[in-house]
């Protein structure tokens, strides 16, 4: 038996309880978790914004040490440090054939599998393939990548979602160029990673936007040159900070209709707005045909940073080793498994950056 955070049903409180985890079968890897990040996507799974089979062991941003491997696994071995990849690409579907591995149609097929059993015999699913809110997990071999050299194992958990998403939002989806101006909406774990990525990309003015005045210090430490407390005048304030034009790029990390609309309005004529945040179906964003024509702006979605983890992790790791990207700066709280429900409450209240479960 190991301890894990189980979502018994959509909308139900998490249960921190014992589960029975099988040994790895062919093509599988068993991992002892070192750490797991508490991401807003976990909250979206728990409240039904994103649908997965339940009951489920949540957690998708993690890193740990390989305990054992099943038949046919050769790229990792017991004792290796690994990062979990919750959205592994199949390599054969249409998006994968186009090189758009982040849009793989089969990436989440594993969420329907039976992952473990609760003490009462209930079959449990892996929330987003990897079930990282547990002392140990068993995953498909394509869900693990070796931890890059020079990256601390616990902090490496953040590479599995927040960092790849924020990095990719800047370098892939938005393609921020040196000297451009950027606004980042939402200073949580992903937002903080996005701010650091914008700084590394050479952005000139970097505006952080959040509902909480208390996050200004965090944002500036990550690279923000300006800080705006979100209000009805946010777009106007951003235009004032950029010579009346608006930013070249806005990255929305919240997933709310009003924030998406504001991010779009905050960009200059011909600017780019990238939506990273995952919102519900009730979050409807409206535009009229004339303004779309007149402003010439681009509004685009961004899945997992439009990243290829195998290609991007070595690049990000080089910035970490050289001191340009600070993983620790994303973490505002280190907790145990029992602290996850409280971390959910903090996210709902808009407090802090990334909470990291340390085992």
């Amino acid at each position: 038996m190991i301890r894990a955070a189980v979502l018994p049903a959509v909308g139900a409180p998490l249960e921190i309880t014992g589960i029975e985890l099988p040994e790895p079968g062919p093509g599988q890897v068993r991992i002892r978790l070192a750490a797991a990040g508490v991401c807003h996507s976990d909250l979206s799974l728990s409240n039904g914004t994103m649908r997965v089979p339940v009951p489920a062991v949540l957690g998708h941003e993690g890193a740990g040490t390989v305990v054992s491997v099943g038949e046919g696994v050769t790229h990792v071995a017991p004792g290796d440090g690994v990062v979990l990849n919750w959205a592994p690409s199949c390599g054969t579907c249409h998006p994968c054939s186009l090189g758009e591995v982040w849009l793989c149609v089969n990436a989440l097929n594993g969420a329907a599998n039976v992952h473990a059993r609760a003490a009462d015999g209930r079959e449990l699913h892996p929330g987003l393939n990897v079930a990282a809110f547990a002392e140990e997990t068993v995953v498909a071999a394509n869900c693990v990548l070796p931890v890059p050299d020079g990256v601390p194992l616990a902090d490496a958990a953040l590479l599995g979602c927040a960092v790849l998403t924020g990095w990719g939002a800047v370098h892939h989806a938005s393609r921020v160029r040196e000297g451009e101006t950027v606004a980042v909406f939402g200073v949580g774990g992903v937002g903080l990673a996005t701010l650091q990525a914008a700084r590394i990309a050479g952005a000139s003015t970097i505006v952080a936007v959040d509902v909480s005045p208390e996050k200004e210090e965090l944002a500036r430490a990550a690279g923000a040159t300006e800080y705006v407390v979100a209000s009805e005048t946010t777009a106007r304030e951003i235009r004032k900070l950029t010579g009346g034009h608006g930013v070249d790029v806005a990255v929305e990390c919240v997933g709310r209709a009003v924030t998406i609309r504001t991010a779009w309005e905050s960009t200059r004529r011909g600017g780019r707005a990238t939506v990273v945040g995952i919102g519900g179906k009730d979050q409807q964003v409206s535009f009229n045909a004339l303004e779309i024509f007149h402003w010439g702006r681009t509004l685009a979605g961004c899945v997992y940073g439009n990243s290829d983890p195998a290609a991007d992790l070595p690049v990000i790791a080089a910035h970490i080793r050289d001191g340009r990207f600070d993983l620790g700066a994303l973490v505002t709280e280190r907790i145990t498994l029992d602290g996850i429900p409280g971390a959910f409450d903090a996210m709902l209240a808009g407090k802090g950056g990334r909470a990291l479960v340390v085992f």
Side-chain angles (χ1 to χ4, degrees):
M1 296 285 286
I2 61 166
R3 297 182 78 230
V6 175
L7 177 68
V10 172
L14 285 181
E15 299 175 356
I16 311 301
T17 185
I19 67 171
E20 296 179 6
L21 191 67
E23 290 302 313
Q28 293 185 319
V29 181
R30 183 166 182 147
I31 298 151
R32 182 177 300 111
L33 272 297
V38 183
C39 178
H40 206 281
S41 296
D42 298 307
L43 185 60
S44 295
L45 293 173
S46 72
N47 63 25
T49 299
M50 297 171 63
R51 291 283 183 174
V52 293
V54 290
V57 179
L58 295 188
H60 64 281
E61 181 183 84
T65 303
V66 175
V67 175
S68 56
V69 300
E71 182 183 351
V73 178
T74 58
H75 73 295
V76 294
D80 288 351
V82 293
V83 178
L84 298 179
N85 175 16
W86 61 270
S89 55
C90 69
T92 58
C93 69
H94 184 59
C96 284
S97 72
L98 298 174
E100 298 172 349
V101 296
W102 55 91
L103 298 179
C104 176
V105 299
N106 298 309
L108 294 181
N109 286 357
N113 295 339
V114 175
H115 172 72
R117 290 185 182 275
D120 61 6
R122 285 175 299 164
E123 293 183 340
L124 304 176
H125 302 281
L128 282 178
N129 284 328
V130 296
F133 287 168
E135 293 169 332
E136 295 188 10
T137 188
V138 173
V139 302
N142 62 352
C143 286
V144 298
L145 294 165
V147 171
D149 292 339
V151 179
L153 185 59
D155 288 349
L158 302 167
L159 295 173
C161 184
V163 174
L164 276 171
T165 301
W167 176 268
V170 169
H171 292 271
H172 300 317
S174 301
R175 298 186 182 276
V176 174
R177 299 181 290 268
E178 186 173 0
E180 288 192 312
T181 54
V182 176
V184 177
F185 288 75
V187 184
V190 173
L192 289 168
T194 304
L195 288 168
Q196 290 203 50
R199 173 176 46 77
I200 291 170
S204 52
T205 300
I206 304 175
V207 185
V209 182
D210 198 275
V211 295
S212 172
E214 288 75 26
K215 291 188 179 182
E216 180 171 359
E217 185 177 347
L218 274 175
R220 290 189 180 276
T225 60
E226 309 289 344
Y227 191 82
V228 172
V229 178
S231 71
E232 293 180 355
T233 63
T234 294
R236 192 181 312 154
E237 291 181 60
I238 290 175
R239 286 195 292 272
K240 285 181 180 178
L241 292 169
T242 53
H245 307 294
V247 290
D248 296 301
V249 171
V251 181
E252 198 273 358
C253 304
V254 181
R256 294 183 63 230
V258 65
T259 319
I260 294 169
R261 174 75 204 198
T262 304
W264 187 79
E265 291 178 354
S266 299
T267 64
R268 63 170 175 81
R269 196 174 187 189
R272 291 111 64 202
T274 297
V275 179
V276 173
I278 301 172
K281 294 180 180 179
D282 61 324
Q283 296 295 311
Q284 299 290 318
V285 189
S286 297
F287 306 92
N288 67 60
L290 181 60
E291 64 180 337
I292 291 174
F293 160 77
H294 172 76
W295 289 103
R297 294 163 171 153
T298 301
L299 177 67
C302 175
V303 179
Y304 202 8
N306 293 9
S307 292
D308 178 351
D312 286 321
L313 284 184
V315 176
I316 297 168
H319 289 290
I320 294 169
R321 288 192 295 268
D322 292 342
R324 292 187 293 270
F325 198 107
D326 183 1
L327 288 176
L330 275 61
V331 180
T332 52
E333 188 179 17
R334 295 178 187 267
I335 60 176
T336 65
L337 270 175
D338 298 288
I340 295 175
F344 277 13
D345 291 339
M347 280 192 290
L348 283 170
K351 296 179 179 178
R354 194 54 119 219
L356 190 67
V357 180
V358 179
F359 295 91

